[in-house]
Every structure is written in C-alpha cells, then in structure tokens.
Amino acid sequence: MDASHGVDGPVPAPTHEGAVLEIRPLPGLPGIRAAGEINVSTRSSWEQALRHLASAHTDVSFVELSDLMFIDVGGATALAVTAQQLGNGRIVVDRPPRELKRILDMFWPGLSTIEVAGR
C-alpha cells in the first residue's frame, strides 16, 4: 500500500444491483478519487478507503468525487466521522454530488474538518 495516498490502486467494490465503486489514489496529492456510487452495497470499500486515508493523513487530505454519481447518508456519515476523528487538519472534498453538501449541511452544520470545493 502507498501510505501517501491510502490505496494501492483501483479498488472495485462488490457489486449488488448494479452499483459499482472504484477508488484510486490521487496522483501527486495525498488523497483518493472515487467514481461510481456509494451506497449500502459499496460502503465497506468506501469505509476501508477512508480508514487508509485517515491513517496517512497529515494536514490536508483530498477526496476527489467528480465522477461519483451518488452518495447516500451512510457514505456521507462515514466521511464526516472520519473527518471528526482527524487529530488535525482537514479533508478537502472536490466536486462531490450535490446531495453530499446537502447531507453535510443538514446533519453536520459547521463541521470545520471538511471543506467542500467545486460544484
């Protein structure tokens, strides 16, 4: 595993009902890129990637979600809990689906350890 990025390479999640999640390291940045859907059938892969991200976290970690089509409340919860457990710094979430910002604003208003950029 590449500790600077949190994952070795593509990590396809088990598929149920057509849901697919692919997670890759971000080239040149400490973080991950997720594509597909985060829901009950792909959440374990998402949570695993977030655990690796948190273990490699120093000051700022990046989560690029421009190719994520959907994230459910459970996936948003996993992200928020990960951010809350960081000792310092923040997670910058780039171009997430619109529902992520709405979920974060509804359930974790003012969570300063997550910065949503783009979209």
Side-chain angles (χ1 to χ4, degrees):
M1 176 168 341
D2 179 350
S4 68
H5 296 305
V7 292
D8 288 329
V11 180
T15 59
H16 299 283
E17 300 175 21
V20 175
L21 175 64
E22 186 176 284
I23 301 171
R24 296 178 181 260
L26 276 175
L29 290 173
I32 57 175
R33 181 173 198 248
E37 298 179 28
I38 299 171
N39 58 35
V40 69
S41 65
T42 61
R43 190 165 314 117
S44 64
S45 293
W46 173 241
E47 290 171 346
Q48 179 182 4
L50 290 173
R51 281 191 299 274
H52 291 298
L53 181 74
S55 71
H57 178 78
T58 54
D59 185 40
V60 178
S61 294
F62 296 88
V63 178
E64 201 278 314
L65 301 178
S66 64
D67 290 329
L68 194 68
M69 297 182 308
F70 176 78
I71 185 168
D72 67 4
V73 173
T77 298
L79 179 63
V81 167
T82 299
Q84 289 173 323
Q85 293 174 344
L86 296 176
N88 61 356
R90 69 189 192 285
I91 296 175
V92 175
V93 181
D94 187 31
R95 294 176 285 161
R98 291 176 194 215
E99 64 265 13
L100 178 61
K101 177 107 171 78
R102 285 192 292 253
I103 293 168
L104 291 174
D105 288 345
M106 182 180 294
F107 293 108
W108 296 276
L111 180 60
S112 63
T113 51
I114 294 181
E115 176 185 328
V116 178
R119 261 199 207 160

